[in-house]
Amino acid sequence: MRWWGWGEDGHQVVLPDAALGLLRESLGVDPAARRGPVGLEEVRLPDARLGEEMRSGLEHVAGRDHVSQERQARILHAAGKSYPDLVRMRSGDASSAPDVVVAPGSAREVQALLRLCADAGVAVVPFGGGTSVVGGVEPVREGFAGTVSLDLHRLDGLDAVDRVSLTATLGAGLFGPEAERRLAREGLTLGHLPQSFEYSTVGGWVATRSAGQASTGYGRIDELVEGLRLVTPAGELAGRALPASAAGPDLRELVVGSEGVLGVICEATLRVRPLPELRRYEGWSFRSFAEGCEAFRVMEQAGCSPDVTRLSNEEETRLAMALASRGAGSDRAAKTYLRVRGHEGGCIAIVGFEGEADEVELRRLRTAALLRGGGGLRLGRRPGERWLATRYAGPYLRDELLDRGVLVDTLETATKWSNLVHLHAAVTEALHHTLGERGTPALVMCHVSHLYRSGASLYFTFLARQEAEAPLDQWRAAKSAASEAIMAGGGTITHHHAVGRDHAPWMRAEVGELGLELLRAAKGRLDPAGIMNPGKLLPG
Amino acid sequence: MRWWGWGEDGHQVVLPDAALGLLRESLGVDPAARRGPVGLEEVRLPDARLGEEMRSGLEHVAGRDHVSQERQARILHAAGKSYPDLVRMRSGDASSAPDVVVAPGSAREVQALLRLCADAGVAVVPFGGGTSVVGGVEPVREGFAGTVSLDLHRLDGLDAVDRVSLTATLGAGLFGPEAERRLAREGLTLGHLPQSFEYSTVGGWVATRSAGQASTGYGRIDELVEGLRLVTPAGELAGRALPASAAGPDLRELVVGSEGVLGVICEATLRVRPLPELRRYEGWSFRSFAEGCEAFRVMEQAGCSPDVTRLSNEEETRLAMALASRGAGSDRAAKTYLRVRGHEGGCIAIVGFEGEADEVELRRLRTAALLRGGGGLRLGRRPGERWLATRYAGPYLRDELLDRGVLVDTLETATKWSNLVHLHAAVTEALHHTLGERGTPALVMCHVSHLYRSGASLYFTFLARQEAEAPLDQWRAAKSAASEAIMAGGGTITHHHAVGRDHAPWMRAEVGELGLELLRAAKGRLDPAGIMNPGKLLPG
């Protein structure tokens, strides 16, 4: 993974002319100007603060090969992949780098490392793929004798595959593609596909209460967790793997979403499914976002939702069409088709079905009848297949936009159906207003991507010309305005990005003072020295 | 509700001759001998321990009419409805009675009462319908200046009905039938129908992490909770009503199943559904319990489960046929039908579909194809309709059996599919062995009643001749043997009855020492004086 962005070197995104035109016209960005990140050798790192005794203690537990204080390792573990993370890293600021990166090989080693660090007052930051977009893996250096980034990639086992019960125990450090490859060998799939899939891990998904692109069908990660193994400074919390229980509060749900502040999730027993025989994705159009939302609601409440359900608002549809542009002739034909049917300027939706072939066809027909009844126009398989081909492209595109001086960030929420269109308008307006007032007018795109009987998620992407002088002030103003609009408008501060550092200021409004006290009580018991991922989840 | 049993006076169960014969032959019970409960005037109550100051404090908050120290009120709140509860109450032992019964009229009154009691060292037992079968509402008198049973029946509001989002906010004290009646007026249903439905409450369902007879389709209560209001001695924990969130651990899941030890659930925002247009229930037969389990697994994992799914083992099928006996001629015809098809001595299953008529028919056809493929034989609608008519009959029947000197109790667990038949055998064997050794051979019946992709629940009913001298020793031996078999066999100590007092000794094995510590940490923060429902959920 690039230290300053997404993916690996050599991966190059090319923006089509239509997209460049849109950036110029809507945002006032000069598409010719490019500014890349500083060179690796220019990155500024704080001195590593680890004494010889501590270092040899870490080496004793994890092995000399798995303890690194090398420059590149520290830089790679200095931050996640949020917009402010990337802005800082690209400018050469790695002041948050850990003192050392340790890669334990087993839950037992994790336990020994946590004890060692707790005794020495050294902070520990569990690190999976490092793809957090909310400041979830950035070390906090102040107040600790040192900081260890605990890289979990060696916890990569796949055990206890139970094809009858459809469960499997996965190591926390397994990356998405490898997890799916190994499950596929058993004829199974987890089906958990966040946009970060290529670079995120099982442990990260569980720690952040993640949702994937197919979670409407396959279920959020919290619905997929059958059992857990959490290693804490105070010992191990082993949730038994069970389909259901009424034996008191569900402690699994206290671990899912705990973001490393209680301990290290070392493995998870997850509910898997047979590999689908068929995947069928298709596009639909609605005349407006409100019309599409209503059609999605009726479909979901009828129990007829596909596995993937996405509905873009008008702005996102317009940008998606610009990005997908295949030349003026083809664009004109598509626009004419939509205009003739009264769908010009409307919204595109992607629906995807996975499963046995007969089953997929049956579900597709029922869903199609409901979507058509809700005003939808079927666009065929091409938009669906195009979406599938580019489903993980967003973060790569972001690097290209950053190079061109564009502020680009995403944020997400969920609320009940009766409030969905209202919240969409409120957040959109907050971003337009705040960025417009700064003289950097915004493009605000949004899609609905996860459906529940009672409501749905909203996922916003916003773009503006980056303020060269104070890009982080600009970002902070926009983020705060959107977050305030979300909380005032009845949404949750995060539907699947988690809390990290960036959402922590809104946790009091989210769970109340007593809710925070409950989380602190749990942390106090499991992590009495307060070394686990400081500064995350709980407001300071 | 009768103080010594289930239902109201005047409700009389008549056991058919075939059932009486089975009791005599299998258990050695003399069906002619009957012994009812002692008279109400013979019940022994401890003196009420409440000082004048405390009583006037309670009256000041809740109003004089809602504070009672009358004999009958105290007796009715002395115990739940477990077998040991009933054995004690029927013998006139109400030594666990609370000192006073208080019925608050609002969450604000609950808050004031909890503060008052915390200051005075008075224990508080939240009381909904009082139907706990695990000792969940029995006051613990020792160590406290007094005990208040907090009867929540006045918290009976139905608010914030959102027909778009399909949610409604229900008062904790609403009883099942009234909750459904009022939702039905809005064209809605919750569909949560535990066997205790007629006498249990919304708050009780949430506090005990309940599952209902239709939970395979409608979802367990934990899946139906959108938001909660928990009043604790330390203040109010208000979970925002949201369809989903990634804002840290899910604190709702810490409240669901908290059994009154953290505070009082005053209301819950629940996910509801449109009233079904059609209900269609039918019976199926399988040659063996194992065959039926396998067919149910395939059906569930194909996503084709009906809303109600029950599969009785051979023993339960035999007793159900005896209870349903409509005379020798009809019985013979049914047996012949099954024998001709190779299903004699097999297992009966009930499947029930609810929803829009077209939808029900479609689902029914798909399910039928899978069940038939799994060896099932369709028995038509009569068994389904008979089950519907008697779905809440179990507890009434229990009173009749107790009158006739029969030990009768139920217990339940859940485990993964690959372990289901093994666990069924282990628990059955433990009960047969333990009761057989005491010279009181047992009938052990079981059914699967809740399906999950990864596993299912097992619900056992066991009968034996009651030991006249030491009925509770006999029960304790059987209960312990079954619980040990469950824990050793990979099940959960409870799938939907909750923990209460009776399962608390197995909570260490269920959640581990650190799990207990987490629960204690939460309790310590919300209930620092330790007055909330002492003796429940957590082992002493």
Side-chain angles (χ1 to χ4, degrees):
Chain A
M1 178 78 112
R2 289 165 171 163
W3 59 269
W4 54 268
W6 197 257
E8 283 149 57
D9 283 341
H11 192 295
Q12 182 65 25
V13 173
V14 179
L15 286 176
D17 287 345
L20 292 174
L22 206 135
L23 291 180
R24 188 173 46 236
E25 285 152 34
S26 301
L27 306 184
V29 167
D30 172 8
R34 290 187 68 105
R35 196 176 58 174
V38 303
L40 181 58
E41 66 290 354
E42 294 171 66
V43 175
R44 303 172 300 282
L45 266 181
D47 291 338
R49 295 174 296 174
L50 218 56
E52 198 43 55
E53 194 186 350
M54 187 65 190
R55 177 167 175 123
S56 79
L58 296 172
E59 288 180 352
H60 179 72
V61 175
R64 179 174 288 230
D65 291 350
H66 305 299
V67 176
S68 173
Q69 292 190 288
E70 282 174 24
R71 181 174 167 79
Q72 183 148 2
R74 290 180 61 209
I75 291 173
L76 269 167
H77 292 80
K81 300 297 178 187
S82 70
Y83 175 77
D85 287 342
L86 298 187
V87 167
R88 280 187 294 118
M89 294 303 289
R90 290 166 63 98
S91 77
D93 173 6
S95 56
S96 59
D99 299 297
V100 62
V101 178
V102 182
S106 67
R108 230 162 66 148
E109 287 184 16
V110 171
Q111 183 69 78
L113 290 167
L114 295 193
R115 296 239 157 96
L116 197 63
C117 291
D119 288 345
V122 167
V124 175
V125 181
F127 192 100
T131 60
S132 171
V133 289
V134 292
V137 294
E138 174 190 321
V140 167
R141 294 174 61 86
E142 294 70 37
F144 297 93
T147 297
V148 172
S149 184
L150 207 66
D151 192 310
L152 303 170
H153 72 273
R154 293 176 63 216
L155 305 182
D156 61 353
L158 173 65
D159 301 304
V161 176
D162 183 339
R163 296 177 57 118
V164 173
S165 311
L166 293 179
T167 57
T169 302
L170 286 81
L174 268 175
F175 283 84
E178 181 64 11
E180 283 293 347
R181 251 193 306 275
R182 290 171 64 184
L183 285 169
R185 273 185 229 140
E186 312 275 343
L188 299 172
T189 180
L190 179 61
H192 191 74
L193 307 167
Q195 197 176 43
S196 62
F197 173 73
E198 299 161 288
Y199 295 100
S200 56
T201 60
V202 168
W205 302 337
V206 176
T208 58
R209 198 171 272 276
S210 154
Q213 291 169 343
S215 289
T216 296
Y218 286 85
R220 300 166 54 92
I221 201 73
D222 37 298
E223 297 171 291
L224 301 179
V225 172
E226 179 99 346
L228 278 172
R229 190 171 176 191
L230 178 78
V231 172
T232 82
E236 188 168 327
L237 182 72
R240 304 172 71 212
L242 289 166
S245 173
D250 190 344
L251 296 176
R252 285 183 300 204
E253 294 278 357
L254 203 60
V255 177
V256 177
S258 59
E259 302 191 20
V261 309
L262 301 180
V264 179
I265 295 162
C266 288
E267 62 181 40
T269 300
L270 300 175
R271 295 163 186 159
V272 296
R273 300 200 185 207
L275 267 178
E277 183 179 295
L278 184 68
R279 290 191 170 90
R280 169 116 188 205
Y281 283 69
E282 56 187 39
W284 284 76
S285 168
F286 291 91
R287 288 177 199 85
S288 71
F289 187 61
E291 183 185 66
C293 285
E294 179 63 9
F296 267 27
R297 177 183 75 84
V298 169
M299 171 180 80
E300 167 68 19
Q301 291 181 347
C304 285
S305 280
D307 298 299
V308 168
T309 51
R310 288 170 75 92
L311 169 70
S312 294
N313 71 356
E314 291 83 355
E315 201 89 305
E316 186 167 287
T317 300
R318 192 160 64 98
L319 193 79
M321 287 175 81
L323 280 170
S325 170
R326 283 170 300 143
S330 167
D331 290 359
R332 258 200 307 278
K335 279 184 185 157
T336 304
Y337 178 83
L338 290 173
R339 187 171 56 241
V340 167
R341 281 156 189 81
H343 279 247
E344 194 181 25
C347 294
I348 200 171
I350 302 293
V351 299
F353 303 85
E354 310 202 345
E356 288 186 22
D358 291 357
E359 194 60 24
V360 162
E361 194 50 23
L362 201 65
R363 290 171 61 203
R364 205 178 67 74
L365 290 174
R366 290 174 56 209
T367 301
L370 287 172
L371 291 182
R372 205 168 279 121
L377 173 68
R378 194 166 166 270
L379 302 179
R381 295 169 66 165
R382 187 172 286 168
E385 275 152 22
R386 184 177 150 77
W387 178 81
L388 266 180
T390 59
R391 66 191 303 177
Y392 305 127
Y396 296 96
L397 183 59
R398 191 173 51 159
D399 287 344
E400 176 68 12
L401 290 169
L402 280 163
D403 274 359
R404 292 177 190 272
V406 177
L407 158 63
V408 49
D409 198 12
T410 61
L411 50 87
E412 28 78 71
T413 182
T415 192
K416 55 187 178 177
W417 286 111
S418 58
N419 190 44
L420 196 67
V421 170
H422 161 76
L423 184 61
H424 169 257
V427 176
T428 302
E429 164 59 22
L431 287 166
H432 276 306
H433 177 77
T434 303
L435 288 165
E437 274 210 324
R438 296 180 79 95
T440 54
L443 268 177
V444 181
M445 294 161 287
C446 183
H447 60 255
V448 168
S449 56
H450 300 81
L451 311 189
Y452 307 92
R453 277 185 185 266
S454 57
S457 68
L458 292 170
Y459 187 93
F460 293 89
T461 304
F462 61 97
L463 307 179
R465 180 166 43 79
Q466 190 182 72
E467 291 180 23
E469 301 309 305
L472 293 182
D473 287 351
Q474 179 195 24
W475 171 80
R476 209 167 287 116
K479 177 75 180 172
S480 289
S483 298
E484 292 298 327
I486 285 172
M487 297 314 287
T492 173
I493 192 62
T494 174
H495 169 265
H496 61 271
H497 280 172
V499 178
R501 181 199 52 208
D502 296 350
H503 290 142
W506 287 277
M507 275 298 276
R508 182 164 287 113
E510 181 82 24
V511 304
E513 189 56 45
L514 210 50
L516 289 181
E517 286 297 319
L518 265 181
L519 293 173
R520 290 195 186 106
K523 182 169 172 70
R525 183 62 193 80
L526 299 182
D527 173 29
I531 59 161
M532 293 308 307
N533 209 9
K536 316 301 157 37
L537 184 58
L538 294 160
Chain B
M1 178 78 112
R2 288 166 173 160
W3 60 268
W4 53 268
W6 197 259
E8 284 149 57
D9 283 341
H11 193 296
Q12 183 64 25
V13 173
V14 179
L15 287 175
D17 286 345
L20 293 174
L22 205 135
L23 291 179
R24 187 173 48 233
E25 285 152 32
S26 301
L27 306 184
V29 167
D30 172 7
R34 292 187 68 106
R35 195 177 58 175
V38 303
L40 182 58
E41 67 290 351
E42 293 171 66
V43 175
R44 301 172 303 281
L45 267 181
D47 291 338
R49 294 175 298 173
L50 220 57
E52 197 43 54
E53 196 186 349
M54 187 65 190
R55 179 170 172 122
S56 79
L58 297 172
E59 287 181 352
H60 178 73
V61 174
R64 178 173 287 232
D65 291 350
H66 306 298
V67 176
S68 171
Q69 292 190 289
E70 283 174 23
R71 181 174 168 78
Q72 183 149 0
R74 291 179 61 209
I75 292 173
L76 269 167
H77 292 80
K81 300 297 178 185
S82 71
Y83 175 76
D85 287 341
L86 298 187
V87 167
R88 280 187 294 117
M89 296 301 289
R90 291 166 62 97
S91 76
D93 173 6
S95 56
S96 58
D99 298 298
V100 61
V101 178
V102 182
S106 69
R108 229 161 69 148
E109 287 184 16
V110 171
Q111 183 69 80
L113 290 168
L114 295 193
R115 296 239 156 96
L116 196 64
C117 291
D119 289 345
V122 167
V124 175
V125 181
F127 192 100
T131 61
S132 171
V133 288
V134 292
V137 294
E138 175 190 320
V140 167
R141 295 174 60 87
E142 293 71 39
F144 297 93
T147 296
V148 171
S149 184
L150 207 66
D151 191 311
L152 303 169
H153 72 272
R154 292 177 63 214
L155 305 182
D156 62 353
L158 174 64
D159 301 303
V161 175
D162 183 339
R163 296 177 58 119
V164 173
S165 311
L166 294 180
T167 57
T169 302
L170 286 81
L174 267 174
F175 282 83
E178 180 64 12
E180 284 293 347
R181 249 192 307 274
R182 288 172 62 184
L183 285 169
R185 273 185 229 140
E186 313 275 343
L188 301 170
T189 179
L190 178 63
H192 191 74
L193 307 168
Q195 197 177 42
S196 61
F197 174 73
E198 300 160 287
Y199 295 99
S200 56
T201 61
V202 168
W205 301 339
V206 177
T208 57
R209 199 171 271 276
S210 153
Q213 291 169 343
S215 289
T216 296
Y218 286 84
R220 297 166 55 90
I221 200 75
D222 37 299
E223 297 172 290
L224 300 180
V225 173
E226 179 99 347
L228 276 172
R229 190 170 178 193
L230 178 78
V231 172
T232 82
E236 188 168 327
L237 183 72
R240 302 173 71 214
L242 289 166
S245 173
D250 190 345
L251 297 177
R252 285 183 299 204
E253 294 279 357
L254 203 60
V255 176
V256 178
S258 58
E259 303 191 17
V261 309
L262 302 180
V264 180
I265 295 163
C266 288
E267 62 181 40
T269 299
L270 299 175
R271 295 163 186 159
V272 295
R273 302 200 183 207
L275 268 179
E277 182 179 296
L278 184 68
R279 290 191 170 90
R280 169 118 186 202
Y281 283 70
E282 56 187 39
W284 284 76
S285 168
F286 291 92
R287 287 177 200 85
S288 70
F289 187 61
E291 184 185 65
C293 285
E294 180 62 9
F296 267 27
R297 178 182 76 82
V298 169
M299 171 180 80
E300 168 67 19
Q301 292 182 346
C304 286
S305 280
D307 299 297
V308 168
T309 51
R310 289 170 75 92
L311 170 70
S312 294
N313 71 354
E314 292 82 354
E315 201 88 305
E316 185 167 287
T317 301
R318 192 160 63 99
L319 193 77
M321 288 175 80
L323 281 171
S325 169
R326 284 171 298 144
S330 166
D331 291 359
R332 257 200 307 279
K335 278 184 185 157
T336 304
Y337 178 84
L338 291 173
R339 186 171 57 243
V340 167
R341 280 152 189 83
H343 279 249
E344 193 180 26
C347 294
I348 200 170
I350 301 294
V351 299
F353 303 85
E354 309 202 344
E356 288 184 22
D358 290 359
E359 194 60 25
V360 162
E361 192 52 21
L362 202 65
R363 293 170 61 202
R364 204 178 68 76
L365 290 173
R366 291 175 56 210
T367 302
L370 288 171
L371 292 182
R372 204 168 279 119
L377 174 67
R378 193 165 168 273
L379 301 180
R381 296 170 66 165
R382 188 171 286 167
E385 276 152 22
R386 182 177 153 76
W387 178 81
L388 266 179
T390 59
R391 66 193 303 177
Y392 306 127
Y396 297 96
L397 183 59
R398 190 174 51 161
D399 287 342
E400 176 70 12
L401 291 168
L402 280 164
D403 274 358
R404 291 175 189 274
V406 177
L407 157 63
V408 50
D409 198 14
T410 61
L411 49 89
E412 29 77 72
T413 182
T415 191
K416 56 187 178 177
W417 287 111
S418 59
N419 191 44
L420 197 67
V421 170
H422 161 76
L423 184 61
H424 168 256
V427 176
T428 303
E429 165 58 22
L431 287 166
H432 276 306
H433 177 77
T434 304
L435 288 165
E437 274 210 323
R438 297 179 78 96
T440 55
L443 267 177
V444 181
M445 294 161 286
C446 182
H447 60 256
V448 168
S449 56
H450 301 81
L451 311 189
Y452 306 92
R453 276 186 186 266
S454 56
S457 68
L458 293 170
Y459 188 94
F460 293 89
T461 305
F462 62 97
L463 307 178
R465 181 166 44 79
Q466 190 182 71
E467 291 181 21
E469 301 308 305
L472 293 182
D473 287 352
Q474 178 195 25
W475 170 80
R476 208 168 287 115
K479 177 77 179 172
S480 289
S483 298
E484 292 298 326
I486 284 171
M487 297 313 288
T492 174
I493 193 63
T494 174
H495 168 266
H496 62 270
H497 280 172
V499 178
R501 180 199 55 207
D502 296 350
H503 291 142
W506 287 276
M507 274 298 276
R508 181 164 287 112
E510 182 82 24
V511 303
E513 188 56 43
L514 210 50
L516 289 181
E517 286 296 319
L518 266 180
L519 294 174
R520 290 195 186 106
K523 184 171 172 68
R525 183 62 193 82
L526 300 182
D527 174 29
I531 58 160
M532 293 307 308
N533 210 8
K536 316 301 156 39
L537 184 59
L538 294 160

